[in-house]
Amino acid sequence: MNRLFVLCFSLLLSVGAMAQQRPQQTAEERAARMMETYKKELNLTAEQVTKLEEINKQNTAAMVALREDTSLEREQRMGKMRELRETQAKAIKAILTEEQQKKFDALQNNSRQGQGGRSGGQGERARQF
């Protein structure tokens, strides 16, 4: 009976650990993935793509530097990251048409909902189960 209990408990722990594993992406990979999403969903012009790539490049470099800055407390770092994301969103919206801005806002909202687990809440998919 004890062996069965230990086996079940071990199986439960291993399934939980496997469910939490996600392949880690570099900042550049995340930026490239978002760029593809923006190109597709926002129907960007070639000029907008060039400007957006530059905005993303600058933001990615700033985020990497911020992550490596050990002089800041976690809360300070998170606040500065939030500021960087807000600044990036404003810069992106400045190069978009009004219609594209609405789509961009919708993409941002969907992205935030999907990150529910990171901010303490649950994303839409997690709530389904």
Side-chain angles (χ1 to χ4, degrees):
M1 186 70 166
N2 282 342
R3 288 183 190 173
L4 180 61
F5 177 77
V6 171
L7 179 64
C8 289
F9 185 74
S10 298
L11 182 63
L12 189 63
L13 286 178
S14 65
V15 169
M18 287 175 23
Q20 292 180 1
Q21 292 177 349
R22 276 191 244 173
Q24 292 293 325
Q25 293 181 329
T26 66
E28 291 80 13
E29 290 170 334
R30 282 189 301 276
R33 191 183 76 226
M34 284 308 300
M35 190 66 198
E36 289 305 313
T37 300
Y38 292 154
K39 283 181 191 178
K40 179 180 148 192
E41 298 293 328
L42 302 177
N43 195 24
L44 299 174
T45 65
E47 182 180 352
Q48 287 174 317
V49 169
T50 301
K51 289 179 181 179
L52 187 56
E53 285 172 341
E54 184 58 33
I55 291 167
N56 283 340
K57 182 179 175 183
Q58 291 173 357
N59 190 67
T60 299
M63 284 287 204
V64 168
L66 191 55
R67 281 190 186 99
E68 294 173 354
D69 185 354
T70 58
S71 68
L72 298 173
E73 295 291 325
R74 184 178 190 278
E75 292 79 20
Q76 293 172 316
R77 190 176 301 116
M78 297 303 285
K80 288 187 180 276
M81 285 183 178
R82 189 175 310 110
E83 289 173 15
L84 280 174
R85 285 190 298 271
E86 289 171 2
T87 301
Q88 178 189 26
K90 287 178 186 176
I92 291 172
K93 288 174 89 170
I95 65 169
L96 300 177
T97 66
E98 192 173 324
E99 184 178 323
Q100 288 171 324
Q101 288 177 10
K102 290 176 186 175
K103 289 180 182 178
F104 177 77
D105 288 338
L107 286 171
Q108 295 290 95
N109 288 333
N110 289 340
S111 177
R112 284 187 203 112
Q113 289 175 353
Q115 292 179 354
R118 292 183 187 180
S119 62
Q122 288 186 333
E124 189 62 35
R125 217 181 140 156
R127 281 181 249 162
Q128 293 173 353
F129 296 104

